[in-house]
Amino acid sequence: MEKLQLALEKARKKRDGSTVPAPTVKDQVAPRPREERQGFRETAPLWHGLGPIDLDPTLLVRNRVFSYGGGDSAAEFDLLRTKTILQMRKNGWKRLAITSPTMGCGKTTTAANLALGFTRQLDKSVILFDLDLRRPSLARILGARPDHGVRELLSGTVDFEHQALRVGDNVALSLSNGASKDSAQLLQRDATGRQLDAIEAEYQPDLMLFDLPPILASDDTTGFLKNVDCVLLIAGAEITSVSQVDTCERQIAEHTNVLGVVLNKCRFHEEETGYPYGGY
């Protein structure tokens, strides 16, 4: 990971004056104004009105979703969860997009682990939207198939109350039930932004997560970034090049803030960085 960070820093320094630099604390895109939050206790009845769903822990582990059950395997995702929520709270951000430069980097798995980790942190409410509309896989990974897909939600033909599924008391899932041919149009239209604003105003989640398509694969993600406060970029070890990460950072910075870059699928792990349960 250190080598990747050094390479990215070197690439940033090579950018000429015509490119957009990575955002700093000083020039970050300001969060959109929002109404004062009431608190999860006040909105809990609305959340309890969402359709409950029981997830299969065995299937989740098979699909590399470890955060639901906790324990040793979830430790790194718990760390990512904590760093994410602290940084977003510090900046007044609520909406986080999760994407990658190309396919196969593990962005959807990361999104699922990040969201389900909050089922063990009951003072935070989270909504995860599956917006990789061309190749949705979140429902398959979680073993859930909604009666109504997120496309119907964005199109306005079904309400969030009847589309979303609830895991535990505080995590809601807005899943796809099939690929969409008009994904770019759905994600980029102003009505989609208004729909998300309405959901946030009514349910007042602490965090809204969006699993988006790979940023270099189409214009779906770039057109949607106006609706989020920041982006977590997932890079795949031996899959993603430094130049691809650099390009994605610049494209993201034109529209919103870069929360960070996660190096995924790394085969090498330093034992001294671990902290096993039950001992030091």
Side-chain angles (χ1 to χ4, degrees):
M1 184 61 182
E2 184 178 354
K3 291 182 179 179
L4 176 62
Q5 291 173 335
L6 291 174
L8 285 173
E9 188 63 31
K10 184 177 180 181
R12 292 186 189 114
K13 290 180 179 179
K14 288 184 177 180
R15 294 174 184 162
D16 57 40
S18 63
T19 57
V20 178
T24 63
V25 173
K26 183 178 179 180
D27 61 13
Q28 284 171 340
V29 178
R32 294 172 307 284
R34 298 187 176 92
E35 297 179 0
E36 185 177 353
R37 187 176 187 275
Q38 298 177 26
F40 183 53
R41 179 173 297 179
E42 287 76 12
T43 58
L46 287 174
W47 285 73
H48 291 158
L50 302 176
I53 182 175
D54 293 323
L55 301 179
D56 181 358
T58 302
L59 176 65
L60 293 178
V61 171
R62 189 185 311 145
N63 289 330
R64 308 191 70 79
V65 179
F66 303 112
S67 63
Y68 186 57
D72 244 352
S73 300
E76 293 183 355
F77 289 111
D78 288 349
L79 180 61
L80 177 63
R81 175 196 64 192
T82 300
K83 285 185 174 182
T84 296
I85 197 70
L86 289 177
Q87 187 65 27
M88 293 185 68
R89 180 191 299 164
K90 177 181 177 181
N91 289 284
W93 298 338
K94 283 191 177 183
R95 297 185 184 183
L96 172 64
I98 301 172
T99 185
S100 58
T102 58
M103 289 177 53
C105 297
K107 64 174 183 62
T108 299
T109 304
T110 301
N113 275 287
L114 188 56
L116 293 184
F118 283 97
T119 59
R120 295 180 287 108
Q121 193 168 345
L122 299 179
D123 61 331
K124 298 289 185 296
S125 54
V126 177
I127 302 175
L128 172 59
F129 294 86
D130 182 5
L131 297 187
D132 191 348
L133 300 178
R134 295 177 189 248
R135 300 174 65 96
S137 59
L138 192 56
R140 175 185 58 80
I141 289 175
L142 299 179
R145 186 174 180 86
D147 293 332
H148 305 284
V150 68
R151 184 191 183 285
E152 296 172 71
L153 173 70
L154 299 183
S155 300
T157 59
V158 66
D159 295 331
F160 185 76
E161 176 186 4
H162 300 111
Q163 192 273 324
L165 301 173
R166 174 174 50 83
V167 182
D169 292 326
N170 61 323
V171 174
L173 307 172
S174 182
L175 304 175
S176 296
N177 58 4
S180 300
K181 295 181 179 180
D182 56 348
S183 57
Q185 290 80 1
L186 276 173
L187 294 178
Q188 295 178 24
R189 66 189 195 132
D190 292 338
T192 293
R194 292 194 295 269
Q195 180 80 307
L196 296 175
D197 290 342
I199 293 171
E200 181 179 352
E202 184 174 9
Y203 288 85
Q204 299 191 29
D206 291 284
L207 189 62
M208 298 173 76
L209 304 176
F210 302 90
D211 177 25
L212 291 175
I215 196 168
L216 299 180
S218 68
D219 64 333
D220 291 20
T221 295
T222 302
F224 182 80
L225 291 182
K226 62 184 179 181
N227 297 303
V228 303
D229 297 314
C230 56
V231 176
L232 186 65
L233 186 66
I234 310 300
E238 302 181 14
I239 297 174
T240 306
S241 68
V242 172
S243 63
Q244 287 175 327
V245 174
D246 189 47
T247 298
C248 289
E249 279 192 314
R250 284 188 280 115
Q251 289 188 20
I252 293 168
E254 292 176 357
H255 305 281
T256 188
N257 304 290
V258 180
L259 180 70
V261 179
V262 172
L263 180 62
N264 194 30
K265 298 190 174 183
C266 186
R267 295 183 297 168
F268 304 101
H269 185 273
E270 298 179 2
E271 292 296 331
E272 60 268 24
T273 62
Y275 187 78
Y277 283 72
Y280 294 97

